[in-house]
């Protein structure tokens, strides 16, 4: 009788004290995990939107600078348009002195406009005569070398574009790395195309994106075909299913193994910026909560055993002796 009462008392005490703690703890952990996951996705979405905005803003700055160069005046004449028309009309009859004058005016315009710009490294003017004017801040890029065979020139000629942006690598090996080109046509007063202006930009447009640690692991720029145009950081790998989902939605979050892909469209070339963020931090917090719960339950168990022992000595044992 005594043992039965003791056992039933201990079970009742355990159920009353431990079971509610277990239920509340598991509900708390589940809700916490859901809350943290939602907050992480919201923060990641905000960060990728911020990154896309900054890249778009950088390209808008380059656009504005390119327009300023095209429509800058010297001696009350549009400098680049005047040079392009002279090269087109005179061709082989243009004198060295005229070209020297053109060069001085060209350098004056370009140097004043790009000297403090953090993206633009040089400006090239390609004329119908085959003569190229160039101005660069620190080094020559040799953009004029065999330019009629280049991808950007053929694209502009074949598609009659008003603007083309692409990544470009110099044909000279000692000029390492990729650069961003923005090419625009220059027309005369009748609207006929006379020349091309090519603005050479550095990779700061992509690499100086201010973001938090969510974008510090892997990020890249995708083109309209899902091909990685440029790796901003890390070396992100995407399978066909992931690429299809990104190209279809263009903005959003895609759950993948060990994390999620966050992506946002850009205003340039229908490109998409994609970044992967992991859930390692979430896993650590979840593990920490489980450990805290286990410690708490162990303390509760010790406390209950102690209470059972005390109550046994105080109430149950006297009943047996009586």
């Amino acid at each position: 009788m005594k043992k039965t009462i003791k056992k039933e008392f201990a079970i009742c005490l355990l159920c009353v004290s431990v079971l509610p703690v277990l239920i509340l703890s598991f509900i708390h952990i589940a809700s916490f995990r859901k809350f943290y996951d939602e907050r992480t996705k919201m923060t990641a979405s905000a960060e990728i939107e911020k990154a896309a905005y900054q890249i778009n803003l950088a390209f808008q700055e380059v656009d504005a600078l390119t327009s300023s160069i095209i429509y800058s005046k010297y001696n009350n004449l549009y400098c680049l348009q005047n040079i392009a028309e002279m090269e087109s009309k005179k061709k082989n009859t243009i004198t060295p002195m005229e070209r020297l004058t053109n060069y001085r005016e060209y350098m004056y315009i370009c140097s004043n406009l790009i000297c403090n710009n953090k993206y633009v490294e040089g400006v090239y003017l390609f004329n119908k005569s085959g003569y190229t004017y160039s101005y660069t801040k620190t080094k020559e890029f040799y953009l004029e070398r065999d330019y009629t065979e280049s991808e950007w020139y053929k694209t502009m000629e074949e598609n009659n574009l008003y603007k083309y942006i692409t990544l470009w690598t110099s044909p000279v090996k000692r000029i390492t790395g990729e650069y961003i080109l923005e090419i625009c046509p220059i027309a005369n007063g009748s609207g006929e195309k006379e020349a091309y202006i090519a603005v050479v930009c550095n990779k700061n447009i992509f690499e100086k994106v201010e973001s938090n640690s969510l974008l510090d692991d892997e990020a890249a720029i995708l083109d309209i075909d899902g091909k990685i145009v440029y790796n901003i950081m890390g070396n992100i790998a995407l399978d066909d299913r992931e690429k299809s989902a990104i190209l279809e939605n263009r903005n959003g979050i895609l759950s993948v193994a060990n994390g999620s892909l966050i992506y946002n469209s850009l205003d340039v070339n229908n490109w998409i910026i994609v970044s992967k963020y992991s859930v390692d931090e979430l896993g650590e917090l979840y593990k920490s909560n489980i450990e805290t719960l286990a410690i708490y339950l162990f303390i509760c168990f010790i406390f209950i055993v102690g209470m059972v022992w005390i109550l046994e000595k105080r109430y149950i044992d006297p009943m047996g002796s009586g």
Side-chain angles (χ1 to χ4, degrees):
M1 179 70 179
K2 177 182 174 181
K3 289 183 178 179
T4 303
I5 294 174
K6 186 190 299 184
K7 183 177 179 182
E8 289 178 354
F9 184 77
I11 292 172
C12 289
L13 194 59
L14 284 170
C15 289
V16 169
S17 57
V18 175
L19 192 59
V21 172
L22 280 172
I23 294 172
L24 290 174
S25 298
F26 282 117
I27 291 174
H28 169 73
I29 290 173
S31 61
F32 175 80
R33 186 180 182 89
K34 181 180 179 182
F35 171 78
Y36 186 83
D37 189 46
E38 289 176 352
R39 294 297 300 177
T40 302
K41 287 182 177 180
M42 287 177 60
T43 304
S45 296
E47 284 299 318
I48 203 70
E49 289 176 7
K50 176 183 174 183
Y53 171 78
Q54 290 174 343
I55 292 174
N56 289 333
L57 199 64
F59 276 110
Q60 289 172 16
E61 184 178 330
V62 174
D63 287 346
L65 180 64
T66 304
S67 297
S68 296
I69 295 172
I70 293 174
Y71 296 107
S72 290
K73 288 186 176 183
Y74 192 97
N75 288 336
N76 209 32
L77 294 173
Y78 291 112
C79 179
L80 269 65
Q81 188 182 80
N82 184 53
I83 293 173
E85 287 184 1
M86 186 182 296
E87 289 286 345
S88 178
K89 291 176 180 179
K90 291 191 174 183
K91 293 185 179 179
N92 297 327
T93 63
I94 189 170
T95 66
M97 185 56 66
E98 287 175 319
R99 278 211 170 115
L100 179 60
T101 301
N102 289 344
Y103 235 119
R104 286 174 177 171
E105 295 176 0
Y106 177 81
M107 292 181 66
Y108 175 81
I109 295 295
C110 293
S111 61
N112 282 323
L113 288 174
I114 77 169
C115 62
N116 294 320
N117 190 279
K118 58 186 175 182
Y119 304 121
V120 177
E121 298 291 338
V123 182
Y124 287 75
L125 179 64
F126 299 92
N127 297 283
K128 280 187 176 181
S129 63
Y131 191 82
T132 303
Y133 294 81
S134 65
Y135 174 81
T136 59
K137 285 181 178 177
T138 56
K139 61 183 178 182
E140 182 59 56
F141 296 97
Y142 302 98
L143 186 60
E144 74 280 5
R145 183 170 294 185
D146 298 325
Y147 73 89
T148 55
E149 299 300 319
S150 64
E151 180 268 340
W152 67 262
Y153 183 82
K154 290 180 179 179
T155 301
M156 290 293 292
E157 286 286 291
E158 293 170 3
N159 298 286
N160 196 29
L161 302 175
Y162 78 95
K163 182 176 71 174
Y164 181 56
I165 296 174
T166 185
L167 275 82
W168 171 83
T169 304
S170 175
V172 178
K173 292 183 179 180
R174 62 185 177 85
I175 309 299
T176 58
E178 286 184 304
Y179 293 87
I180 303 164
L181 297 183
E182 178 167 323
I183 305 101
C184 297
I186 295 179
N188 57 24
S190 302
E192 297 175 347
K193 184 170 56 182
E194 296 282 7
Y196 290 118
I197 179 176
V199 177
V200 183
C201 303
N202 55 44
K203 295 180 291 186
N204 287 342
I205 290 179
F206 296 139
E207 295 186 350
K208 295 300 181 182
V209 173
E210 297 177 5
S211 60
N212 68 8
S213 58
L214 287 172
L215 303 182
D216 285 344
D217 294 330
E218 296 177 346
I221 304 294
L222 267 63
D223 64 12
I224 57 175
D225 298 319
K227 179 183 177 183
I228 295 178
V229 176
Y230 183 76
N231 275 308
I232 299 175
M233 55 191 76
N235 188 21
I236 193 168
L238 303 172
D239 58 32
D240 292 338
R241 181 190 67 84
E242 294 165 351
K243 289 180 180 179
S244 297
I246 291 170
L247 293 175
E248 181 179 354
N249 299 314
R250 299 192 61 80
N251 297 285
I253 300 177
L254 179 65
S255 297
V256 295
N258 301 320
S260 295
L261 293 170
I262 49 176
Y263 50 97
N264 200 284
S265 59
L266 300 175
D267 295 338
V268 178
N269 293 349
N270 288 318
W271 286 344
I272 301 173
I273 179 172
V274 182
S275 179
K276 184 177 182 180
Y277 74 94
S278 66
V279 292
D280 293 340
E281 187 177 354
L282 175 60
E284 290 296 324
L285 286 171
Y286 187 72
K287 181 181 177 182
S288 176
N289 276 353
I290 292 294
E291 291 174 351
T292 302
L293 175 62
I295 294 171
Y296 183 67
L297 290 175
F298 178 75
I299 293 172
C300 285
F301 180 78
I302 296 298
F303 176 76
I304 291 167
V305 169
M307 288 294 296
V308 169
W309 184 80
I310 292 172
L311 292 173
E312 177 189 349
K313 295 298 182 183
R314 188 173 181 84
Y315 297 107
I316 299 176
D317 285 349
M319 290 172 58
S321 61

